Amino acid sequence: MPTTAAVSRARVKLGAVPLKALSEQVAKPLAEPATRGSWYRTWRVPAVDGTPFDVPDTPENAGRFGRPGNARSAASGGRAASANGTDLLWRVRANVVLPVRHELPDGSYLSEIVATGDQCRRADPVTVRVVEYTLDDPGRNGHGAPYRLITTILDHRRAPARELAALYCQRWEIETVLDELKTHQRGPGQVLRSRSPDG
């Protein structure tokens, strides 16, 4: 039987190229325009989310992946993601200051955000549209809590506020995938074994 060290050495020797090639062949959109929930008007609707995984506490892993709490803000992450022309819709915390610059007929309004972090200049605001609402469902967790969404879709006629609020509720489906990965397949409290970033 091969030892754990032998498996690790073989994995390092193989490298990431075969998995990258496999991913490029099979990781692509499968939904057609007729697939329910995959499109909103003219936009393909993917959900993007993140979840942390624990890795061994080594200087190499810390250097590559960072430590908890040093991630960029949602505002700066959204600016980077929209650089290729992608339209975005995401929830922001209640303490994010979003001044009303222009009110729109559907109840949303235009505002500005600025990215934070070492790589960003606070003098470069980006115009966003803000949709604020509450869910009137006593059986739902967080009933009555306010939701604040921001979007790069500035035209309320192309994407009315009520439709964006309904669309955002669908993104919670990704939580079942993350739950399966973290709780059922990996198990709670499990630390990934490799002490090196490439592993």
Side-chain angles (χ1 to χ4, degrees):
M1 288 294 285
T3 64
T4 302
V7 171
S8 295
R9 284 194 299 271
R11 190 175 66 212
V12 169
K13 186 176 179 181
L14 181 64
V17 174
L19 285 180
K20 183 178 180 188
L22 177 64
S23 176
E24 289 171 351
Q25 286 183 4
V26 300
K28 57 187 172 185
L30 299 176
E32 301 292 332
T35 306
R36 185 177 175 196
S38 63
W39 291 80
Y40 166 67
R41 296 191 176 209
T42 60
W43 292 276
R44 181 186 296 275
V45 180
V48 178
D49 205 333
T51 187
F53 286 95
D54 295 327
V55 298
D57 188 11
T58 64
E60 295 82 12
N61 282 341
R64 173 84 62 89
F65 304 119
R67 295 192 178 277
N70 69 353
R72 297 187 313 172
S73 71
S76 60
R79 288 179 67 178
S82 64
N84 67 356
T86 301
D87 285 309
L88 304 171
L89 172 69
W90 74 102
R91 187 176 181 184
V92 294
R93 294 181 180 171
N95 64 352
V96 175
V97 177
L98 296 168
V100 178
R101 299 294 187 224
H102 180 70
E103 294 184 9
L104 297 169
D106 67 345
S108 63
Y109 61 91
L110 299 182
S111 186
E112 294 176 339
I113 59 171
V114 291
T116 58
D118 297 336
Q119 306 297 321
C120 306
R121 297 193 332 244
R122 296 191 61 87
D124 296 332
V126 174
T127 300
V128 294
R129 190 165 136 231
V130 182
V131 176
E132 296 180 339
Y133 62 97
T134 57
L135 295 177
D136 187 19
D137 183 356
R140 189 181 186 99
N141 205 5
H143 165 67
Y147 280 73
R148 295 174 77 209
L149 308 179
I150 59 177
T151 181
T152 57
I153 306 169
L154 305 182
D155 186 349
H156 67 280
R157 293 163 296 207
R158 291 184 66 211
R162 183 179 292 269
E163 292 181 12
L164 290 178
L167 183 64
Y168 181 77
C169 287
Q170 293 180 19
R171 62 101 29 221
W172 286 102
E173 295 172 5
I174 199 172
E175 297 297 333
T176 58
V177 175
L178 297 178
D179 175 69
E180 182 65 27
L181 282 172
K182 294 190 70 173
T183 304
H184 304 290
Q185 291 186 12
R186 184 179 64 110
Q190 184 74 22
V191 177
L192 299 179
R193 292 184 314 187
S194 182
R195 301 182 63 79
S196 70
D198 289 338

